[in-house]
Amino acid sequence: GGGRAAAYLHGLGHRKFFVIAGPQEHRSHNLRLKGFRLGLQQLGVDESDVSVIPSMESDFAHGCRLMNEHWETFNRGGYTVLFTTNDMLALGAMKVLLEKSVHIPGQVAVMGFDDIDFAAAYTPSLTTVKVDTDRMGHDAVDLLDRLIHQDQDLSKLYEYASEIMLRQST
């Protein structure tokens, strides 16, 4: 999903990427960031054109706080993309951008990850990466059931396709 987000944003012509990455000890945030960075690398984007700000939490308040704290770096750096490893960080950071009269997507494209309900309800609505969480939940329950019954045929790796939910923020 992170690689897909990178390819989409790069395809729109963006070359300077500002990333707020949720807790890297969480597998989902870690894989999303790795995929995004790898995607940009494969597209020939220089690492110096990517700024990654780590977040210890993945909520709205931290998105706001980190964008405020790093506003000068963001503003002076010529970044045209804000990518975050979940939607709540994106919505918090986007609130700060809007308060600072940044035009989204005219000046900065914003993209999150998860496709939470608020992503579509926000104005401008948030472009995001969606994964099939219903299927993930079903598969998790099925795996748990097989573990309880000591099934010997357990697949350890599940991968789920992602899709970009195009909305107003890009």
Side-chain angles (χ1 to χ4, degrees):
R4 181 165 286 158
Y8 169 71
L9 294 164
H10 188 270
L12 293 177
H14 296 287
R15 299 298 181 266
K16 295 277 287 184
F17 302 86
F18 193 85
V19 179
I20 298 177
Q24 291 302 289
E25 64 272 10
H26 295 176
R27 186 172 187 268
S28 60
H29 287 284
N30 183 276
L31 290 173
R32 293 166 185 183
L33 177 59
K34 281 184 180 178
F36 190 76
R37 286 181 126 159
L38 179 61
L40 292 177
Q41 181 183 31
Q42 290 172 342
L43 292 163
V45 174
D46 191 271
E47 189 67 28
S48 66
D49 291 327
V50 182
S51 182
V52 178
I53 306 302
S55 178
M56 298 305 290
E57 299 293 333
S58 55
D59 57 20
F60 184 89
H62 277 80
C64 289
R65 185 175 62 79
L66 290 170
M67 183 51 71
N68 268 318
E69 286 177 7
H70 296 277
W71 168 248
E72 287 303 319
T73 300
F74 179 85
N75 193 38
R76 291 185 183 156
Y79 296 99
T80 62
V81 166
L82 168 64
F83 174 73
T84 66
T85 56
N86 80 355
D87 288 345
M88 290 307 290
L89 287 168
L91 293 172
M94 193 160 73
K95 178 182 186 294
V96 172
L97 293 175
L98 292 169
E99 287 171 350
K100 295 188 179 292
S101 299
V102 174
H103 296 280
I104 300 170
Q107 291 173 278
V108 175
V110 180
M111 188 170 190
F113 208 112
D114 284 330
D115 193 32
I116 63 171
D117 290 341
F118 287 120
Y122 209 79
T123 301
S125 57
L126 179 65
T127 295
T128 185
V129 179
K130 177 181 180 160
V131 292
D132 191 348
T133 54
D134 289 338
R135 182 169 168 224
M136 290 171 81
H138 179 271
D139 289 349
V141 170
D142 181 58
L143 179 61
L144 180 59
D145 183 59
R146 289 189 289 146
L147 285 168
I148 290 169
H149 290 95
Q150 298 179 342
D151 188 339
Q152 297 302 311
D153 182 34
L154 296 175
S155 174
K156 297 292 183 194
L157 177 64
Y158 288 91
E159 290 189 17
Y160 301 91
S162 60
E163 66 179 302
I164 295 176
M165 304 302 293
L166 298 177
R167 297 201 179 100
Q168 298 167 329
S169 68
T170 59

